[in-house]
Amino acid sequence: MAQLSDDCFAFGGEMMAVDRALELLSGRLHPVTEAHRIGLADALGHALAEDVVAPFNVPPHDNSAVDGYAVFFDDLTPDAATLLPVTARVAAGHALDRPGRRGEAVRIFTGAPMPEGFDTVLMQEDCKAGEGTVVIPPGIRRGANRRRAGEDMARGSTVLTAGRRLRAEDIGLLASLGRREVTVRTALRVAVFSTGDEVREPGVPLEPGCIYDANRFALIAALRQLGCRVTDLGILPDRLDAVSGALEEAAGTHDVLITSGGMSTGEEDHVKAAVEALGGLHFWRLAIKPGRPVALGTVKGTVFVGLPGNPVAVMVTFLRIARPILLRLMGAADEAPALFPLRAGFTYKKKAGRREYVRATLARAADGVLTAVKHPRDGAGILSSMVESDGLVELPEEITRVEPGMIVDFLPFSEVR
């Protein structure tokens, strides 16, 4: 279970800055998952639980980067063509059974091991082949088109570190080291539920005053993208006993409980009361838009994350607040998403002291420079604006106005998936 002291996140008074909230999280949340070995085919998205050290050089031997002719550089005439006899042929997967000899060339193909002594390869299209000979033009540099042993990975070097979430290229790298299995963290077990008598499952008739449950489906998809094992607890009725019972039962078999909405103090908002009765709840009055309120707490020792009810606020706070929490708990290294400086193509006013996230698309300006263009609709309930945007412009607390041409930080959605 996660280790959260009851006063770690208690906060009153002024609203807390996003960076301060993330700093507190980083120091007080620890991995809750175990390490186990799995096959490479199943390792995508898992967090490494070990450092991976190359047991041998990759490539294991010098080899040719092109189809052509291997030669001794010192046999070439610097300012004129050189005629050499072609005495052997070396293909990938086959080695020459003798060292190279001065004054000869060897026909060689991409990936084939370089015969001992040869140090340079000429591309076949640059040469003129004859009957058992080849004419080498001048001007090649020593060592050209020769891949060195260990050029990719040197024996004994650490090539992947514990905490890295494995991507497709990482799986390929592990395979190139001869690995069939890898030690990773088990998937984080997350339970997700919605509350609200007005919320309905997609596909059923929609009664007057009701809405379909978009938040839960969006959260489940985002969690699965992170490699979490998700339990869908469905829609809970607006009754304290139902919410409390579901939370208590799920806490015994999950690492994290997460929901959206139901965190206010109204008569029909029972999540807050249920969490407080079963553990502890710490409201963060985050200085963020869209997104307030975000809550963190524990239910029977299991981490609870409560997100806002509006769908855009749910997605923004998931990406910037809940995602770092989940990564920390799953044993992944801190993965602060990359922000890219772009030119703003819009005017915007904001409140000082609050971090704001503006939905934006990317477009080429007349001068060809990539520009962030604000989505025309910015309500916290307009989920289509997220679908139609490429990412978020992150505006720090001290900025109060954006003008066209100003450089802003842009967070592509591709960075947080």
Side-chain angles (χ1 to χ4, degrees), residues 145-395:
N145 301 313
R146 173 191 181 185
R147 298 179 182 137
R148 296 276 188 175
E151 179 179 273
D152 186 2
M153 291 173 280
R155 181 177 182 269
S157 63
T158 300
V159 294
L160 295 173
T161 56
R164 182 181 180 90
R165 288 179 61 228
L166 294 173
R167 302 172 298 183
E169 54 267 37
D170 302 321
I171 303 297
L173 182 147
L174 289 164
S176 75
L177 294 174
R179 299 283 293 266
R180 293 181 61 86
E181 294 183 331
V182 63
T183 303
V184 299
R185 293 279 185 174
T186 54
L188 197 67
R189 301 167 303 168
V190 184
V192 179
F193 69 91
S194 294
T195 63
D197 289 343
E198 80 283 7
V199 181
R200 295 289 183 270
E201 291 283 356
V204 304
L206 198 60
E207 302 163 13
C210 295
I211 58 172
Y212 287 125
D213 189 359
N215 289 353
R216 190 172 103 255
F217 284 87
L219 286 172
I220 289 172
L223 288 164
R224 286 177 175 159
Q225 281 185 328
L226 281 181
C228 299
R229 195 165 77 233
V230 184
T231 301
D232 181 3
L233 299 182
I235 303 168
L236 302 183
D238 280 329
R239 297 198 324 268
L240 181 58
D241 62 330
V243 174
S244 297
L247 283 172
E248 185 170 16
E249 183 177 354
T253 55
H254 293 84
D255 303 306
V256 184
L257 312 175
I258 187 168
T259 188
S260 62
M263 297 305 301
S264 299
T265 57
E267 293 180 2
E268 298 301 322
D269 295 313
H270 299 297
V271 178
K272 175 181 181 293
V275 175
E276 287 179 326
L278 295 169
L281 184 64
H282 311 287
F283 277 98
W284 278 2
R285 299 178 64 242
L286 290 186
I288 182 174
K289 181 185 177 182
R292 193 162 58 96
V294 178
L296 182 73
T298 56
V299 173
K300 300 294 185 180
T302 297
V303 171
F304 169 82
V305 181
L307 300 180
N310 285 316
V312 174
V314 166
M315 297 310 300
V316 170
T317 53
F318 179 87
L319 296 178
R320 300 305 278 134
I321 306 298
R323 185 176 182 271
I325 293 173
L326 296 164
L327 290 172
R328 193 78 173 176
L329 294 174
M330 70 172 56
D334 291 338
E335 292 188 12
L339 299 176
F340 298 89
L342 290 180
R343 191 169 68 184
F346 61 93
T347 300
Y348 185 77
K349 291 182 180 180
K350 68 175 284 289
K351 182 179 179 180
R354 181 172 67 193
R355 184 164 304 187
E356 297 193 14
Y357 295 89
V358 177
R359 284 145 275 174
T361 55
L362 300 178
R364 295 279 179 187
D367 57 4
V369 175
L370 198 60
T371 302
V373 179
K374 180 181 176 298
H375 194 278
R377 298 178 295 164
D378 55 9
I382 303 176
L383 189 55
S384 60
S385 65
M386 295 288 284
V387 175
E388 295 163 1
S389 296
D390 297 314
L392 303 170
V393 171
E394 184 175 275
L395 301 176

